[in-house]
Amino acid sequence: MAPVILVCSQNAELYLLLAHILHGEGFKARLAASDDDVADACTSAVLSAVVLDCAGWPSDVAPLCALLKESRLPVAALVGEDTRAQHLQLIKAGLDEGIARPLSPSKLLAFLHGISPQSGASTLPSFAGAAEIVFGHRAVVVSGKRVALAPIEMRILKFLLERSGQVSTRKQLIEAVWSDPHAVERRTVDVHIGRLRKAFAELRNLRIRTVYGAGYALEYHD
């Protein structure tokens, strides 16, 4: 059965374009044109992810994003110049991926394929003496503890692990992690780092240290 992607938009032409693109990649699109449509889809269908078109949506998109995240759904938002101010609020509400308009199909598909269930899991040791970290579907296992993460935070963690013990600047993170670096503000990195810290709060042997004026470094302590 094809994974169902909920497309929240009031733009019929955009929906038809997305439905065509998604069908070609083995997905099935479902349209939601209002908050009520979204609520109905969340209760009546098995959804794999949500694409939220911010332009022209009839209500505040941040609470809608938070509601979708409460349903444990990966959410991507199409963000244009006129909706850029909403981007940070969406991230705080749990947004997994912001995709700048005009839409790049490859960026959208990279997000969707990134959250699709993968066969098996990948293992990436951090550094000498550190606990093994296992990357699975929308979660990592550190020292035997499973931690759910959004796709973009998984990529941030992998990048920090590859440079474990070294300072990574916000610019380096943006260029390495985001598909469209020019659309990302540096404070966006801070929000995602904050979410990673919250996710790993109970793991005292793994932390992300702020190097003021420079960036972030991942550290492990026995």
Side-chain angles (χ1 to χ4, degrees):
M1 184 176 178
V4 179
I5 309 302
L6 185 66
V7 179
C8 304
S9 178
Q10 292 207 324
N11 185 326
E13 291 183 0
L14 175 65
Y15 171 73
L16 292 174
L17 172 63
L18 289 177
H20 175 73
I21 293 171
L22 293 174
H23 178 74
E25 292 291 321
F27 298 99
K28 180 180 179 181
R30 173 168 174 164
L31 177 64
S34 68
D35 289 355
D36 288 342
D37 287 349
V38 174
D40 179 65
C42 288
T43 56
S44 65
V46 178
L47 304 174
S48 294
V50 179
V51 177
L52 177 58
D53 178 20
C54 296
W57 191 255
S59 64
D60 190 350
V61 290
L64 177 62
C65 179
L67 177 64
L68 291 167
K69 293 307 297 179
E70 287 178 6
S71 300
R72 300 184 181 276
L73 287 168
V75 180
L78 306 184
V79 183
E81 289 295 333
D82 56 339
T83 55
R84 191 68 59 84
Q86 296 174 310
H87 194 185
L88 189 60
Q89 294 302 315
L90 284 167
I91 292 172
K92 291 179 178 179
L95 182 70
D96 297 301
E97 191 86 44
I99 301 173
R101 301 184 72 166
L103 172 66
S104 168
S106 62
K107 293 172 184 174
L108 174 61
L109 293 173
F111 165 73
L112 294 176
H113 286 305
I115 55 91
S116 296
Q118 303 293 322
S119 57
S122 61
T123 301
L124 180 63
S126 51
F127 45 95
E132 190 176 71
I133 297 182
V134 179
F135 287 80
H137 172 49
R138 294 172 58 187
V140 295
V141 178
V142 185
S143 301
K145 178 179 175 59
R146 183 182 184 277
V147 181
L149 293 177
I152 201 161
E153 280 138 29
M154 297 265 277
R155 298 200 294 270
I156 291 174
L157 179 61
K158 284 185 178 181
F159 182 77
L160 292 175
L161 279 171
E162 290 167 358
R163 295 171 50 83
S164 54
Q166 304 177 47
V167 177
S168 298
T169 66
R170 291 172 178 83
K171 182 179 179 181
Q172 288 173 326
L173 282 163
I174 290 172
E175 291 178 348
V177 172
W178 275 267
S179 56
D180 187 5
H182 301 293
V184 182
E185 298 180 4
R186 295 194 174 196
R187 59 179 179 170
T188 301
V189 177
D190 299 336
V191 172
H192 284 293
I193 290 291
R195 286 167 60 174
L196 274 172
R197 283 175 169 156
K198 184 177 180 180
F200 291 112
E202 296 181 10
L203 295 175
R204 301 191 180 279
N205 59 341
L206 184 69
R207 76 184 185 102
I208 300 173
R209 178 169 61 92
T210 298
V211 181
Y212 291 99
Y216 299 101
L218 186 142
E219 295 183 342
Y220 173 82
H221 300 282
D222 289 320

